[in-house]
């Protein structure tokens, strides 16, 4: 007979020990509940080892060098290009050499239990784990099971792609060598960032995108990023499809494009989007299945509670990329904090039904004020609604735009180029969104986020005087152009 898995009971079982899962566990434990994290890979998740941290570690040295090269007095002292070996070594440091000892220690010190293995639902509040050590576990949740399983790359339908070994973000951000020739498929955030990182490390990079570069951002802002990539030698093949990928006899990749041209590369990075990692979790055992298009997606309320069918009341939650709302680490952690607090409050009988917007239990910012940064050089930073989204949502909206040309930008670097936009609700005279593009504009973003979340009236925002001479002076120029 096959032995029954060892059984244990906790208040909350969290599947996935990435940034979102860790934050849920931390919040429920601080709320007086018991929690266990189940993780099949490294504790800390995608962001720590293969996404946010290593990609920014690869980008920052090039940005710092370029900043010096564009500042008179500093550029004369710059006599070398990037040291690729040193950059990769620094990247290794920020990933802790792909060892999760420190994260595991934090889990232990926080009073959270950890089970290493592959988890799947077998019924309401019941999770079975195929342990990495060969031991099977049955975990029972008294109050909640939380899915914090992240996302996985979406593979495009390209002839020959399944037959060759290409890079995803994982292979790119953990690469031990810089390929002489790199082809990047996809013009989104990750593809754009990694294209520039490898171009500055010495690769001859070709970026191929079916549509434009960074198509979800304002055209003026994305255009500055495109110019920055071209200045670094990136060959942009925009509005161009990829028809076929194959291998030449010498081991190089041959890529046939929709316009009839072809390129040759030593490595191919496929960065064409991601989708929630929900396959293999046993969701069908509790009533969930794929939609008509074969996609397995979950709908959650403003606390992360997955909507019916569940059976046996509301107990299943999803946070971060698994919830499929905003695929940003910072937003996943925000969702996790709200969800953890909501679970703890419901367990104590302190929360019944749906919480009020903007309360500690509600993920209200998901609908109004999601910040995002493209960490290229120049940077692109945005929060809230775009002009098009605001109109689609029914707002009476206007916008104000201008180049970033203030004393702070001219001091920052020679020939500074930037662009800024505010999206304004004309009925309430508050900000609905903001976008900035230019060197180091990411540090402007939190002020905009506060203004959007706080619904600060423009007549009051005008009294927030920017320090002189900083790039933040663009706020004053935007408000003056609006008429204040």
């Amino acid at each position: 007979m096959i032995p029954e898995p060892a059984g244990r009971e906790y208040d909350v079982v969290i599947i996935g020990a990435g940034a979102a899962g860790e934050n849920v566990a931390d919040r429920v434990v601080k709320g007086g509940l018991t929690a266990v994290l189940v993780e099949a890979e490294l504790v800390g998740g995608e962001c720590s080892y293969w996404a946010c941290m290593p990609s920014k570690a690869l980008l920052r040295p090039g940005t710092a060098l370029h900043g010096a090269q564009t500042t008179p007095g500093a550029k004369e002292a710059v006599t070398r290009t990037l040291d690729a070996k040193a950059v990769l070594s620094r990247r290794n440091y920020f990933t802790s050499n792909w060892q999760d000892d420190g994260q595991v220690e934090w889990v232990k010190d926080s009073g959270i239990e950890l089970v290493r293995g592959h988890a799947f639902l077998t019924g309401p509040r019941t999770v079975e784990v195929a342990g990495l050590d060969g031991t099977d576990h049955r975990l029972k949740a008294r109050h909640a099971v939380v899915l914090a399983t992240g996302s996985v790359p979406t593979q495009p339908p390209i002839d020959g792609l399944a037959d060759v070994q290409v890079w995803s973000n994982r292979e790119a951000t953990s690469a031990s060598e810089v390929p002489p020739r790199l082809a990047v498929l996809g013009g989104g955030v990750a593809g754009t960032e990694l294209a520039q990182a490898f171009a500055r490390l010495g690769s001859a990079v070709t970026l191929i995108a079916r549509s434009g570069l960074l198509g979800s951002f304002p055209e003026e802002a994305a255009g500055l990023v495109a110019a920055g990539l071209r200045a670094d030698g990136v060959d942009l093949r925009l509005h161009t499809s990829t028809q076929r990928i194959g291998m030449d006899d010498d081991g190089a990749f041959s890529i046939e494009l929709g316009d009839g041209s072809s390129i040759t590369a030593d490595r191919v990075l496929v960065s064409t989007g991601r989708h929630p990692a929900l396959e293999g979790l046993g969701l069908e055992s509790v009533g969930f299945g794929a939609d008509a298009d074969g996609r397995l997606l979950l709908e959650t309320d403003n606390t992360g509670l997955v909507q019916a069918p569940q059976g046996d009341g509301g107990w299943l939650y999803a946070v971060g990329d698994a919830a499929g709302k905003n695929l940003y680490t910072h937003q996943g952690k925000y969702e996790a904090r709200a969800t953890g607090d909501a679970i703890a409050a419901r367990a104590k009988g302190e929360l019944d039904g749906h919480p009020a917007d903007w309360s500690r239990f509600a993920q209200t910012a998901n609908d109004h004020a999601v910040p995002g940064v493209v960490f290229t050089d120049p940077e692109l930073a945005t929060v809230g609604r775009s002009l098009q989204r605001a109109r689609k949502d029914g707002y009476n909206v206007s916008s104000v735009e201008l180049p970033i040309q203030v004393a702070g930008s001219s001091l920052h670097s020679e020939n500074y180029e930037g662009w800024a936009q505010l999206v304004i609700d004309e009925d309430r005279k508050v900000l609905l969104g903001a976008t900035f593009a230019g060197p180091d504009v990411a540090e402007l973003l939190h002020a905009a986020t506060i203004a959007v979340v706080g619904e600060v009236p423009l007549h009051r925002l005008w009294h927030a005087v920017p320090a002189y001479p900083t790039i933040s002076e663009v706020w004053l120029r935007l408000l003056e152009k609006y008429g204040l």
Side-chain angles (χ1 to χ4, degrees):
M1 279 182 69
I2 300 174
E4 285 288 320
R8 284 180 277 177
E9 191 170 62
Y10 300 87
D11 291 321
V12 184
V13 177
I14 302 118
I15 304 175
E22 288 178 323
N23 273 268
V24 172
D26 186 46
R27 286 288 174 142
V28 297
V29 167
K30 286 178 177 176
L33 305 183
T34 60
V36 59
L37 283 164
V38 184
E39 177 56 60
E41 296 188 293
L42 296 178
V43 176
E46 198 79 15
C47 180
S48 296
Y49 305 104
W50 300 288
C52 322
M53 296 305 291
S55 65
K56 301 332 169 253
L58 291 172
L59 282 161
R60 178 56 192 163
T63 301
L65 178 62
H66 186 244
Q69 291 170 332
T70 56
T71 306
K75 67 181 181 180
E76 290 79 6
V78 178
T79 59
R80 296 179 59 188
T81 58
L82 285 178
D83 184 326
K85 184 178 179 180
V87 173
L88 296 179
S89 178
R90 182 173 184 266
R91 181 274 320 272
N92 294 349
Y93 167 79
F94 278 102
T95 62
S96 301
N97 289 296
W98 293 276
Q99 300 294 317
D100 63 0
D101 301 34
Q103 299 270 23
V104 171
E105 189 67 23
W106 174 86
V107 169
K108 180 181 177 181
D109 291 346
S110 299
I112 304 161
E113 289 204 37
L114 173 66
V115 174
R116 291 189 181 270
H118 298 272
F120 52 96
L121 293 160
T122 57
R125 295 184 175 86
T126 305
V127 175
E128 293 201 7
V129 182
L132 298 184
D133 61 358
T135 303
D136 293 335
H137 307 269
R138 176 176 290 135
L139 308 177
K140 192 73 176 178
R142 298 184 189 94
H143 299 291
V145 174
V146 184
L147 304 181
T149 49
S151 60
V152 292
T154 299
Q155 291 292 90
I158 298 173
D159 186 27
L161 180 60
D163 301 322
V164 293
Q165 293 291 322
V166 297
W167 277 1
S168 68
N169 69 291
R170 286 196 170 195
E171 289 78 19
T173 56
S174 62
S176 58
E177 295 181 350
V178 177
R181 299 166 297 182
L182 174 66
V184 178
L185 307 188
V189 175
T192 302
E193 288 182 346
L194 289 169
Q196 186 170 54
F198 277 95
R200 288 182 165 183
L201 286 169
S203 289
V205 179
T206 303
L207 186 149
I208 306 153
R210 292 181 63 89
S211 56
L213 192 78
L214 300 170
S216 62
F217 297 91
E219 185 176 339
E220 295 87 343
L224 289 176
V225 177
L229 265 64
R230 289 191 177 103
D232 287 324
V234 178
D235 180 5
L236 296 180
R237 307 287 186 96
L238 306 180
H239 306 286
T240 303
S241 62
T242 300
Q243 298 294 104
R244 187 181 182 282
I245 297 179
M247 296 286 290
D248 295 337
D249 293 338
D250 62 359
F253 291 87
S254 177
I255 305 171
E256 298 175 11
L257 305 182
D259 60 6
S261 64
S262 64
I263 63 171
T264 302
D266 300 292
R267 295 286 183 186
V268 176
L269 165 61
V270 178
S271 183
T272 52
R274 301 178 69 86
H275 61 274
L278 300 174
E279 299 292 336
L281 294 178
L283 282 165
E284 65 280 356
S285 71
V286 289
F288 293 92
D291 63 15
D293 297 321
R295 300 173 302 178
L296 184 57
L297 301 172
L298 299 175
E299 181 181 348
T300 60
D301 71 3
N302 67 350
T303 68
L305 181 66
V306 176
Q307 301 304 281
Q310 292 188 46
D312 195 26
W315 55 271
L316 183 62
Y317 292 75
V319 296
D321 287 11
K325 292 182 177 179
N326 299 288
L327 307 191
Y328 289 112
T329 296
H330 51 267
Q331 211 66 19
K333 292 163 72 173
Y334 161 76
E335 293 172 11
R337 293 190 292 269
T339 293
D341 286 349
I343 291 170
R346 284 175 174 146
K348 299 173 185 176
E350 298 172 355
L351 175 63
D352 185 26
H354 296 287
D357 283 350
W358 302 114
S359 72
R360 63 179 295 188
F361 309 120
Q363 304 168 6
T364 313
N366 275 347
D367 299 320
H368 301 283
V370 176
V373 178
V374 185
F375 287 92
T376 47
D377 182 16
E379 291 174 337
L380 198 166
T382 185
V383 65
R385 289 173 169 84
S386 67
L387 185 62
Q388 293 75 15
R389 169 68 187 277
R391 287 171 175 163
K392 183 179 179 180
D393 289 346
Y395 286 93
N396 175 26
V397 67
S398 68
S399 67
V400 57
E401 303 90 9
L402 48 72
I404 298 178
Q405 295 175 345
V406 293
S409 62
S410 63
L411 284 167
H412 181 281
S413 58
E414 195 172 32
N415 302 316
Y416 186 105
E417 287 191 70
W419 182 83
Q421 178 190 60
L422 299 181
V423 178
I424 299 160
D425 179 349
E426 286 294 339
D427 293 333
R428 295 181 297 153
K429 297 295 183 182
V430 298
L431 288 187
L432 292 175
T435 298
F436 305 96
D440 292 327
V441 295
E443 299 306 330
L444 300 178
L445 188 60
H446 196 56
T449 304
I450 292 170
V452 174
V453 170
E455 299 180 334
V456 181
L458 294 184
H459 73 267
R460 178 63 65 87
L461 192 59
W462 185 82
H463 290 279
V465 181
Y468 182 89
T470 65
I471 299 174
S472 290
E473 193 181 2
V474 71
W475 277 96
L476 174 59
R477 302 300 171 219
L478 286 163
L479 294 174
E480 285 181 332
K481 185 175 180 182
Y482 181 71
L484 295 175

